[in-house]
Amino acid sequence: MLYIIEDAINGILMGSIYGLAALGLTLIFGVLKVINFAHGSLLMVSMYVAYWAVTLTGLHPYIALVLVVPVMFIFGYLLQDIVIKPIFKAEKNVREPITVIIVTTGVWYILDNLTLLIFGPQYRNLEANPLRGKMLELGEMLISVPKLWGFGAAVLTTLAIHLFLQRTATGRAIRATSLDREAASLMGINAYKIYNLAFGIGTAIAGVAAVALVPFYNVFPTVGVLFDIKCFIIVVLGGLGSIGGALLGGIIIGLIESVAPQFMAATWTEAIVYGLFLLVLFVKPSGIFGVKHDW
Amino acid sequence: MSLLEVRNIDVSYGDVQVIFDLSLKIEEGEVVSIIGGNGSGKSTLLRTISGLMQASAGEISFEGKPIHRSQPEEIVEKGIIHVPEGRRLFSLMTVLDNLIVGAHNSRARGQAAATLEKVYELLPRLKERHNQIAMTLSGGEQQMVAIGRGLMSQPKLLMLDEPSLGLAPILIKSIFETVRQIADQGTTVLLVEQDVRHSLSLSDRGYVLEHGRIAIEGPASQLLDDPHIKTAYLGI
Ligand SMILES: Nc1ncnc2c1ncn2[C@@H]1O[C@H](COP(=O)(O)OP(=O)(O)O)[C@@H](O)[C@H]1O
Ligand SMILES: [Mg+2]
């Protein structure tokens, strides 16, 4: 029994980090109405930035945050401004800008292959970092310390994004654009600037997730693909565009992944995850926690 | 120099032209009505003035400067505010957040708190409902939010697209009274309406739009007596 509780706790912690990775995806979707297939690759790039920052400076892995977050914000901002915005402009009157989705897929391929070219296929990890393998003893249970910190980062980031969207002028402009782009432009809001910002923020959040992951997770060129699929499922579970839903969706996936193997062959875990995904799509396509979206 | 001058514009949706060689002028302080049946091109005209659509020919100038190549948000900065047909509120945001977003432009932002007080004075219902989600309001209340949100941007020219659409007669009366009050406080108003009697009786001048062309124009009192308007729009 204790093992199950221990697994459940570690699953919740890991799941919250999945949720953190998915938060940026759901934010970008909420505003641009486009699934960003490059999101996992942006997480991967963030992990490399964090990895090299820590390896080259020898600083504590979490200090990489002050570098990774602004770098990834600028990266995402410019990616939207230079690569994606021209497509949006060309398809101004198209309701479902499918070409934009194709472009984000292209960005995914380019980033993954460029990384492979530059850094090679090998797995890298921060071997001698103070968080690696560190456990907190709770009675007889062992709780992963870096995952616990990741949980804290996920909760704080979700809260911060929520407050930013609710309380600041820029946050209100982002919500307004998300709800009705044309009406927002009649209020003097430049939708393309809002898209740049949302993309920058979404990518910066992937940066936070990367810093949480790097102390205990391998870094390699296709690591983003693992997260892409998870993030997409989480975002659908939580409700596309739902900020709190991303965290809760992530925790559900983390729980299933950690507890289910106790009761059945591990391959069944994925079947459960995909089954749940399909069930939600059939029964409540707005997601378990989503209204249309909750901001 | 007129506040707004539209000169000989043509506007099309793809291959379909809906506005033909249209010209009009609005002087500062005036209330001007544009009346016309469904599909005559009233909304298209407003969308072109506010920059949501581009005219394929002709010019539009505001305070003497051309605006027909500007983006909607630049036109808002200059002081033209378009309250669109069907209200187009930010449905999942509160009344207060809708109003605050109205004051997004740089002229209005610094004075948002003071403007909000004035809007609440004019539309006290909005103060009572400030925490309510916009989509849960009644149609009349939603129209008040739409007008209030427009006022928050400190318009020099306020363009209203069918504010009475879909409202009960008693609410229609109160919406038109609000429009009159806004005009009395010095805002120039361009009012697009199908409710010809109400809109002309509070306007200084009017234009009748038929099939994308100005059919008749003149002082509002004169249009109310016009035999063609009486038969075609007033049902007398
Ligand atoms: N998005 C659109 N695409 C194509 N035609 C349109 C569109 N919107 C309006 N129209 C056409 O343009 C004409 C004028 O429409 P509109 O300006 O909305 O008229 P009004 O506001 O006076 O009812 C109508 O014939 C209408 O069918
Ligand atoms: Mg119309």
Side-chain angles (χ1 to χ4, degrees):
Chain A
M1 187 61 206
L2 215 54
Y3 288 124
I4 295 178
I5 296 176
E6 184 187 270
D7 282 335
I9 291 174
N10 282 309
I12 288 171
L13 300 182
M14 189 62 206
S16 70
I17 302 174
Y18 295 154
L20 182 56
L23 180 58
L25 183 67
T26 210
L27 178 71
I28 291 170
F29 179 85
V31 180
L32 283 79
K33 312 293 178 221
V34 163
I35 290 284
N36 171 25
F37 279 100
H39 194 71
S41 300
L42 292 168
L43 179 73
M44 177 275 295
V45 171
S46 309
M47 287 172 82
Y48 271 92
V49 175
Y51 170 85
W52 283 114
V54 175
T55 305
L56 296 177
T57 62
L59 289 170
H60 189 281
Y62 289 158
I63 293 179
L65 213 53
V66 299
L67 177 76
V68 175
V69 168
V71 164
M72 293 317 294
F73 175 82
I74 294 168
F75 192 94
Y77 189 101
L78 293 180
L79 179 65
Q80 148 65 25
D81 194 53
I82 296 167
V83 180
I84 301 174
K85 187 171 81 181
I87 317 289
F88 265 116
K89 284 196 166 165
E91 304 218 336
K92 209 173 179 172
N93 301 316
V94 182
R95 269 190 88 81
E96 310 268 334
I98 192 91
T99 331
V100 177
I101 295 174
I102 295 169
V103 169
T104 67
T105 312
V107 171
W108 158 22
Y109 273 78
I110 291 170
L111 288 177
D112 283 18
N113 285 300
L114 221 53
T115 308
L116 182 64
L117 200 69
I118 298 171
F119 297 113
Q122 61 267 45
Y123 283 44
R124 295 164 196 270
N125 56 56
L126 292 177
E127 270 171 31
N129 84 77
L131 292 157
R132 190 165 189 85
K134 199 162 173 209
M135 292 289 175
L136 184 75
E137 283 178 45
L138 264 185
E140 283 172 44
M141 293 188 294
L142 291 175
I143 309 297
S144 156
V145 170
K147 286 182 190 171
L148 195 59
W149 283 111
F151 177 79
V155 172
L156 280 180
T157 307
T158 304
L159 205 65
I161 293 295
H162 176 77
L163 289 176
F164 166 73
L165 290 172
Q166 293 295 324
R167 303 278 170 84
T168 66
T170 311
R172 282 192 197 92
I174 291 177
R175 275 152 66 211
T177 305
S178 144
L179 289 167
D180 189 334
R181 180 172 102 182
E182 191 172 274
S185 77
L186 291 179
M187 301 296 114
I189 297 168
N190 182 333
Y192 295 114
K193 270 193 199 149
I194 296 293
Y195 287 4
N196 291 349
L197 266 179
F199 218 99
I201 295 169
T203 309
I205 298 171
V208 179
V211 172
L213 284 167
V214 152
F216 68 96
Y217 212 90
N218 287 321
V219 183
F220 50 98
T222 52
V223 65
V225 179
L226 297 177
F227 282 89
D228 248 333
I229 299 166
K230 280 199 179 68
C231 287
F232 184 64
I233 293 176
I234 288 166
V235 163
V236 170
L237 283 185
L240 277 164
S242 165
I243 300 302
L247 186 60
L248 292 169
I251 287 174
I252 290 177
I253 299 295
L255 262 177
I256 295 177
E257 275 189 4
S258 63
V259 177
Q262 300 282 346
F263 302 100
M264 59 197 82
T267 39
W268 274 98
T269 313
E270 276 195 33
I272 294 181
V273 169
Y274 285 106
L276 185 64
F277 172 70
L278 288 177
L279 191 71
V280 167
L281 277 185
F282 281 127
V283 178
K284 194 163 181 287
S286 58
I288 301 177
F289 309 102
V291 272
K292 230 169 84 202
H293 47 76
D294 61 3
W295 43 284
Chain B
M1 181 187 74
S2 308
L3 183 65
L4 179 81
E5 238 183 299
V6 176
R7 281 182 301 271
N8 310 104
I9 58 165
D10 291 339
V11 187
S12 311
Y13 291 97
D15 294 338
V16 185
Q17 187 170 350
V18 297
I19 287 186
F20 301 85
D21 195 30
L22 184 149
S23 300
L24 62 81
K25 277 185 187 181
I26 297 171
E27 307 299 331
E28 199 169 340
E30 272 191 316
V31 178
V32 174
S33 278
I34 295 180
I35 58 182
N38 244 332
S40 57
K42 305 182 298 296
S43 298
T44 306
L45 173 62
L46 292 198
R47 292 171 64 81
T48 310
I49 296 172
S50 61
L52 292 175
M53 296 182 67
Q54 300 284 318
S56 53
E59 286 151 27
I60 304 173
S61 58
F62 185 68
E63 297 182 314
K65 296 189 195 78
I67 57 165
H68 51 280
R69 303 224 187 287
S70 304
Q71 294 301 311
E73 33 321 333
E74 296 164 350
I75 292 172
V76 171
E77 286 290 339
K78 294 198 166 87
I80 302 181
I81 306 303
H82 175 183
V83 177
E85 186 177 322
R87 348 232 187 268
R88 302 286 289 269
L89 299 182
F90 302 117
S91 57
L92 294 174
M93 292 168 68
T94 63
V95 169
L96 180 58
D97 277 353
N98 268 275
L99 294 174
I100 295 175
V101 170
H104 184 86
N105 74 73
S106 63
R107 283 177 310 111
R109 194 179 291 190
Q111 297 148 46
T115 321
L116 185 65
E117 284 311 308
K118 283 189 205 152
V119 168
Y120 279 162
E121 216 170 282
L122 183 71
L123 301 161
R125 195 39 127 5
L126 300 190
K127 190 168 185 176
E128 288 166 32
R129 297 289 164 111
H130 71 278
N131 253 333
Q132 199 168 327
I133 300 294
M135 67 184 273
T136 65
L137 297 171
S138 72
E141 289 165 341
Q142 290 194 13
Q143 188 59 56
M144 288 177 197
V145 178
I147 293 175
R149 187 178 65 174
L151 290 173
M152 288 298 291
S153 18
Q154 305 224 334
K156 294 178 191 164
L157 170 62
L158 183 66
M159 308 197 294
L160 301 168
D161 194 346
E162 301 209 35
S164 75
L165 192 70
L167 299 186
I170 179 146
L171 287 172
I172 293 184
K173 204 157 164 266
S174 103
I175 289 287
F176 280 112
E177 271 163 18
T178 305
V179 174
R180 187 63 252 173
Q181 275 175 295
I182 293 167
D184 289 343
Q185 288 168 14
T187 307
T188 310
V189 177
L190 175 57
L191 178 61
V192 157
E193 263 298 340
Q194 293 199 49
D195 188 326
V196 174
R197 193 189 311 274
H198 274 111
S199 58
L200 282 181
S201 48
L202 68 77
S203 298
D204 301 308
R205 287 189 305 117
Y207 292 86
V208 178
L209 200 56
E210 284 178 358
H211 308 297
R213 295 182 170 84
I214 301 287
I216 314 171
E217 62 177 281
S221 53
Q222 198 176 315
L223 295 184
L224 278 168
D225 286 334
D226 186 284
H228 171 69
I229 292 176
K230 275 187 170 167
T231 49
Y233 297 98
L234 295 170
I236 312 176

